[in-house]
Amino acid sequence: MKRRTALAGLLLLVTGCSTGPSLENKGAVTAPPGDSHHLTIGSAGFTESDLLAQMYALLLKQAGYKTSLLTVANRELYEPALESGQIDVVPEYAATFADWLNAKTNGPDAPAVGSPDLAATMKALRRLATPRGLTVLAPGKAVDQNAFAVARSYAGEHHLKTLSDLGASGLRVRLAAGDECVQRPYCEPGLKKVYGIDITAVDPKGVGTTQAKNAVQNGQDQMVLTTTTDATLDQFGLVILADDKHLQNADYVVPVVNRSRAGSPGVTKALGKLNDVLTTADLASMNQQVDSWRRLAQDVARTYLKDKGLLT
């Protein structure tokens, strides 16, 4: 119920207000970084985003800011709200957000700017974000990328640890994934071109769905498209094969802030503390605690920060 109320409220705000500084409004873009003492943290509504938003809020609160959280499960809504200052801080993913802003700025057919190269991706992302009054803070170690998993028994039988190992094995692979996998360069075409994997068919069961994982577990398919922070793989007896040739884009977790309200050194310092400790494995573990153990995201986030010495 809270999620619906927040979304309805934001819809009214977004439709009733400007979506942020125009690209020609140099004054807004070049204004000094602001330091509002009450910050709204946005979440995209899925478990991992909720966890990150909760950790951001707790760290900012400890640094002396008043914080509130707002869930908006649609980037088409929360990004304009971030530009206009109705949301001040949001967790994002570097390559995905760079490509999204690029399409918004240059059209849906614009060549992608996100890539496996983190430095190049961050440069492109900041170039696109800055004219919109947004500041992209430094990425940490945690990354939520596409990943490919196989049955643990299958990996053991064929001595597979990496996608290169699978390509070199010559095994015929039926892949459980989404429909778009047959066209996306990171999926079937990339697996064939970069790794030489013999993909015989794409079984359209979705990305990381229970149905897709079951298909690999029972041998109907040999590999499934999932993510690096999928916390349920052990339950299905699956293991991720390392993307050793870096086919996947650099979707590192990055905080994005509204510069005029949350671009201060205080915000940067508070959120930067998370970069020193948060790993991909940590995110997967926290996702599992919420999704499988039914713990509250706020409790999981607080416990993690306390365990890492970031919260008193």
Side-chain angles (χ1 to χ4, degrees):
M1 184 62 68
K2 289 182 179 180
R3 179 175 299 179
R4 291 178 182 175
T5 302
L7 178 56
L10 185 66
L11 278 166
L12 290 173
L13 285 170
V14 172
T15 56
C17 303
S18 165
T19 57
S22 68
L23 300 189
E24 293 78 21
N25 189 343
K26 301 298 183 183
V29 173
T30 59
D35 195 22
S36 173
H37 293 292
H38 188 167
L39 300 175
T40 299
I41 318 301
S43 166
F46 57 94
T47 297
E48 188 169 294
S49 187
D50 288 344
L51 284 163
L52 290 164
Q54 291 284 357
M55 287 190 285
Y56 289 2
L58 289 166
L59 289 170
L60 288 167
K61 185 176 181 180
Q62 180 165 267
Y65 296 90
K66 292 182 179 179
T67 62
S68 56
L69 279 85
L70 185 62
T71 298
V72 188
N74 187 317
R75 189 178 277 114
E76 284 75 10
L77 285 178
Y78 74 67
E79 190 279 330
L82 183 63
E83 288 189 31
S84 66
Q86 294 153 17
I87 292 175
D88 302 306
V89 184
V90 70
E92 264 293 356
Y93 300 92
T96 295
F97 196 45
D99 284 336
W100 194 88
L101 286 180
N102 186 44
K104 182 177 180 179
T105 302
N106 300 310
D109 296 326
V113 294
S115 75
D117 185 327
L118 177 59
T121 296
M122 288 297 296
K123 183 177 180 180
L125 174 54
R126 286 172 168 151
R127 183 178 68 247
L128 289 159
T130 298
R132 297 185 175 277
L134 306 180
T135 296
V136 182
L137 304 185
K141 295 176 274 190
V143 57
D144 189 346
Q145 295 171 305
N146 293 302
F148 295 92
V150 300
R152 184 177 287 106
S153 57
Y154 181 83
E157 178 184 355
H158 299 289
H159 309 290
L160 307 176
K161 293 184 177 180
T162 68
L163 290 170
S164 288
D165 292 339
L166 182 56
S169 73
L171 293 165
R172 292 165 62 84
V173 175
R174 180 176 163 94
L175 174 63
D179 291 334
E180 69 279 1
C181 179
V182 296
Q183 296 178 326
R184 295 286 174 86
Y186 66 79
C187 205
E188 181 184 1
L191 291 172
K192 289 180 175 179
K193 180 179 179 180
V194 175
Y195 288 107
I197 297 173
D198 184 6
I199 305 293
T200 60
V202 172
D203 186 5
K205 285 185 164 59
V207 179
T209 63
T210 297
Q211 184 184 21
K213 292 170 189 171
N214 279 331
V216 176
Q217 184 181 40
N218 64 30
Q220 177 184 346
D221 298 331
Q222 287 72 52
M223 188 161 68
V224 59
L225 171 61
T226 183
T227 66
T228 51
T229 59
D230 187 335
T232 67
L233 295 178
D234 277 347
Q235 299 173 26
F236 295 89
L238 306 181
V239 293
I240 289 175
L241 297 182
D243 180 23
D244 53 310
K245 292 184 179 179
H246 306 292
L247 171 63
Q248 302 305 318
N249 281 347
D251 261 330
Y252 285 75
V253 175
V254 290
V256 182
V257 305
N258 177 289
R259 176 181 170 86
S260 66
R261 289 183 50 81
S264 69
V267 171
T268 300
K269 182 178 179 181
L271 298 182
K273 292 179 180 180
L274 195 58
N275 286 351
D276 296 332
V277 298
L278 185 66
T279 66
T280 304
D282 291 341
L283 271 181
S285 174
M286 286 189 280
N287 286 337
Q288 182 180 38
Q289 291 176 57
V290 175
D291 291 336
S292 299
W293 303 355
R294 302 304 180 191
R295 294 189 62 196
L296 295 176
Q298 183 177 8
D299 294 341
V300 173
R302 185 183 299 277
T303 299
Y304 176 79
L305 293 178
K306 284 186 175 180
D307 287 347
K308 295 297 182 180
L310 300 182
L311 204 63
T312 56

